Amino acid sequence: MGNTTPFRIRSISEIHRLMGLPKPHHPLISIIDLKGLRNDTGIEAVIFDLYVISMKRGCDGLHYGQQKYDFDEGLMAFLSPGQILKGEENGVPPALEGWMLFIHPDFLWNTSLTKKIKKYEYFGYATHEALFLSDREEQVINDLVKNIKEEYHSNIDKFSQDIIISNLETMLNYAERFYERQFITRKITNHSILDRLEEELVNYFNDDDLLSKGLPTVRHMADKLNMSSKYLSSLLKQLSGQTAQQMIHEKLIDKAKEKLSTTELSVSEIAYQLGFEHSQSFNKLFKLKTNQSPLEFRQSFN
């Protein structure tokens, strides 16, 4: 039985040793071929202190939303330092092909990606929220990876880092474009997620125990939908132009308007019923969203 405690990997050299590979050509960046990957480490979960970008083919039983797919085309996934990567549920698929690109944060130091890499929200997506690639898209990404690999395998000079960073940044920009395309092309699945979110929010705000539960968080709603908070917000921005937090606030204001217009409860009582500890916070949010105080709304409605 394998070890269930996540194994921490802090360097490129450690990855190569773990996989029985020769020493890396570069101490801070490496691309590893997944074909014929060894599966005898006994490690079930890994925490990388590295950025990890992977491209896989021959993945079976992948979950996307609430659906399961046997997907034989390119799949791309992204991990930022500190995230946990779990092994394949049934071991490494025999037909698995592709690569994993490992980048130590030090490699990005004092480059255009030092801060910019944090803007790519897909580094916070869960592994089941991978990017599905068409053959053409996969070729675009693979060409960039080939450039990166050739560059760090050649003689390292003062231009090497800039050239690699340029290719890496181009890859991340393409990935962002491809994710936007995915949100659009998978409309049926994505709109069902939007419908389920609305249903979850309605049920949440109809609960009489809101005072003890408090206001719903994006994390809570994302967990209900079996997805990461960042993926949910990215998806909603594409479908509705709103973030998950904005949608939560919209449903909250709708419920507040209902109570203000159909009950004689005081503003403070309504605030507490909606999960606010302090009515001032409720008043502030309501005015921000409607340009009216709760009392002004009630008076105008009456």
Side-chain angles (χ1 to χ4, degrees), residues 169-180:
E169 191 167 352
T170 301
M171 181 199 303
L172 298 179
N173 287 333
Y174 270 117
E176 192 161 37
R177 169 189 279 180
F178 297 157
Y179 259 117
E180 286 201 10

Side-chain angles (χ1 to χ4, degrees), residues 196-213:
R196 286 173 51 226
L197 174 60
E198 295 219 16
E199 184 180 340
E200 289 288 348
L201 285 170
V202 168
N203 291 338
Y204 195 99
F205 284 117
N206 283 340
D207 194 326
D208 293 331
D209 197 28
L210 263 180
L211 183 57
S212 62
K213 287 168 59 177

Side-chain angles (χ1 to χ4, degrees), residues 39-131:
N39 190 28
D40 58 355
T41 62
I43 297 172
E44 295 182 9
V46 177
I47 297 176
F48 291 103
D49 289 342
L50 312 161
Y51 288 98
V52 184
I53 302 172
S54 61
M55 170 83 77
K56 296 180 180 180
R57 265 184 171 269
C59 299
D60 55 352
L62 179 90
H63 283 83
Y64 178 84
Q66 295 298 305
Q67 300 182 38
K68 193 171 183 179
Y69 293 86
D70 290 324
F71 199 79
D72 197 41
E73 296 183 347
L75 284 171
M76 234 180 146
F78 304 80
L79 288 174
S80 57
Q83 287 180 274
I84 296 177
L85 177 65
K86 294 182 179 179
E88 304 286 342
E89 190 174 321
N90 299 311
V92 177
L96 181 67
E97 295 182 356
W99 46 261
M100 294 183 80
L101 167 58
F102 299 93
I103 308 157
H104 195 285
D106 287 355
F107 184 76
L108 307 179
W109 180 248
N110 206 27
T111 72
S112 58
L113 281 176
T114 305
K115 294 180 180 179
K116 190 176 179 182
I117 197 166
K118 299 184 188 304
K119 92 173 181 73
Y120 298 105
E121 293 185 345
Y122 48 73
F123 275 103
Y125 294 172
T127 53
H128 65 272
E129 296 158 350
L131 176 59

Side-chain angles (χ1 to χ4, degrees), residues 198 202 205 242 247-262 274 282 286 289-290 297:
E198 295 219 16
V202 168
F205 284 117
Q242 292 181 307
M247 182 163 282
I248 289 172
H249 285 164
E250 183 182 87
K251 295 303 174 187
L252 170 68
I253 297 301
D254 286 346
K255 192 67 179 177
K257 286 179 175 179
E258 177 189 320
K259 288 181 178 291
L260 286 165
S261 60
T262 61
L274 291 175
F282 168 65
F286 192 93
K289 296 297 181 181
T290 67
F297 172 82

